[in-house]
Amino acid sequence: MTTLAPSPRIAAAALRAFASQLLQTAGLAADRAGDVADILVAADLMGHDTHGLNLLPAYLEHLGNGTMAATGEPEVVADRPATLTWDGRQLPGQWLVLRALDAAIPRARIHGTATVAIRNAHHIGSLSAYLQRATDQGLVMLLHSSAPGGGSVAPFGGSTGLFSPSPMSMGCPTEGLPILVDISTSITTNNMVVRLQKQGRRLPRPWLLDGQGRPTDDPAVIGAGGTLMPLGGEDAGHKGYGLALMVEALTAGLVDRGRHQPGFRFNNTVFLQILDPQAFGGLPGLRAQMERIAEACRTNPPRPGGQPVRLPGEAAQKLAAQQERDGVVLAPGILDALRPWAEKFAVSVPGC
């Protein structure tokens, strides 16, 4: 087993500046580099460290070989008052989603809801890192994505990879912390499996299938014909399978960019929807209703020996606030993977 020491605490602002400088040196304009850096560091702040700066070496490589486009604008495929479809032309996914959010919010204020669908975006990272930008404005946000070029998840009952982990998310205001739901439709993620394989560790449960379709906890089977199980695993994987089909319809289906077309693994299709509660029962009512539900969840008696019930995203938001104040502890190996890029681009590594 490979044991790596975690990083010292590093100021979040220093990490954002470091990531942005690397991305600018690799060819992105300052505003686009800043958007990508903000979302990556937001994921690390929340503890979603497989989708934070862990992704930056791949992004820098893709800027170098052209599989992430450094310049240009998204192409408008369709535009109606409450809907917008873009071809992202392999531009940075974080920048595209933030621009889609900027486009959707004013439309939702007028029409009650607005949807932006994007095909051919580069990888967009952690979905939960975007949600509070809507909930802070009293809006409900849905954000789902799929990767047409990825096929690491078998359909329930099958043994050959077909789907990507295809995450789905929702942010909803309450009277306190917003509810932030961010779940993969697979039982674990590709990045987590890769990390455990590098560390010589196994998964906590048999969440994978080997090349013969047998359940296993060994991450080494990925890359050797193995697959991830859908959310629910052996017992209830039909539910994750159904959710994966739903995400496929809302992303690849709506934008006409799917698995029958060869694609780059880091290519994402995106579904972003904003709902303005003022067009329905009103924001105060939504907040009150969801706060009552949230409180009923928190006060629900825990199972014997278990921890108190938490709301989705609650721990991540508290961790993010603490790490923004005290500094971020990056997962082991992340800074080590970025040091060669820092040396190549003559950028100082923070905390060193």
Side-chain angles (χ1 to χ4, degrees), residues 40-310:
L40 291 180
V41 174
D44 282 313
L45 282 166
M46 299 175 84
H48 305 317
D49 51 33
T50 58
H51 284 65
L53 292 176
N54 181 62
L55 295 167
L56 186 52
Y59 288 8
L60 295 170
E61 179 183 342
H62 298 163
L63 280 167
N65 64 26
T67 47
M68 180 193 288
T71 61
E73 299 291 329
E75 174 191 348
V76 176
V77 176
D79 189 350
R80 296 188 182 187
T83 62
L84 183 61
T85 303
W86 287 342
D87 189 314
R89 300 172 60 195
Q90 213 57 35
L91 289 159
Q94 288 83 356
W95 177 76
L96 283 168
V97 172
L98 292 176
R99 298 295 72 73
L101 192 57
D102 290 343
I105 287 175
R107 294 180 185 225
R109 296 289 190 199
I110 296 170
H111 303 289
T113 184
T115 302
V116 182
I118 311 171
R119 66 188 185 206
N120 294 322
H122 194 273
H123 192 256
I124 70 171
S126 171
L127 305 193
S128 58
Y130 301 92
L131 300 175
Q132 283 176 274
R133 294 178 183 242
T135 60
D136 285 350
Q137 300 185 57
L139 300 165
V140 176
M141 178 174 174
L142 303 177
L143 180 62
H144 313 327
S145 73
S146 64
S152 57
V153 185
F156 185 66
S159 60
T160 300
L162 173 61
F163 300 108
S164 61
S166 300
M168 55 191 306
S169 69
M170 181 209 68
C172 181
T174 72
E175 292 176 351
L177 291 175
I179 296 169
L180 307 180
V181 178
D182 180 358
I183 55 173
S184 294
T185 58
S186 58
I187 199 166
T188 187
T189 65
N190 290 317
N191 286 337
M192 179 58 70
V193 171
V194 169
R195 174 176 290 180
L196 292 175
Q197 186 173 8
K198 288 179 178 178
Q199 295 175 352
R201 298 166 57 194
R202 301 178 84 89
L203 284 98
R205 299 284 187 276
W207 290 343
L208 309 176
L209 298 174
D210 66 16
Q212 287 72 50
R214 298 171 299 201
T216 178
D217 62 358
D218 184 2
V221 302
I222 300 299
T227 64
L228 282 63
M229 290 189 194
L231 184 66
E234 289 185 89
D235 296 325
H238 60 285
K239 297 182 180 182
Y241 174 35
L243 291 173
L245 288 167
M246 184 185 79
V247 173
E248 286 287 321
L250 292 174
T251 57
L254 284 182
V255 301
D256 188 23
R257 181 68 175 82
R259 301 189 181 280
H260 65 292
Q261 297 143 322
F264 175 51
R265 187 171 67 87
F266 274 75
N267 178 290
N268 279 181
T269 54
V270 181
F271 174 91
L272 183 156
Q273 188 169 67
I274 298 294
L275 299 116
D276 182 357
Q278 294 298 97
F280 297 88
L283 179 58
L286 172 71
R287 282 181 163 150
Q289 291 290 337
M290 297 313 297
E291 186 61 34
R292 300 303 174 272
I293 293 171
E295 184 61 20
C297 291
R298 292 189 195 98
T299 58
N300 198 286
R303 292 177 296 179
Q307 298 295 315
V309 176
R310 295 197 308 252

Side-chain angles (χ1 to χ4, degrees), residues 20-42:
S20 179
Q21 194 172 358
L22 288 174
L23 288 160
Q24 288 180 62
T25 308
L28 282 186
D31 61 332
R32 300 182 185 203
D35 281 343
V36 176
D38 283 352
I39 295 299
L40 291 180
V41 174

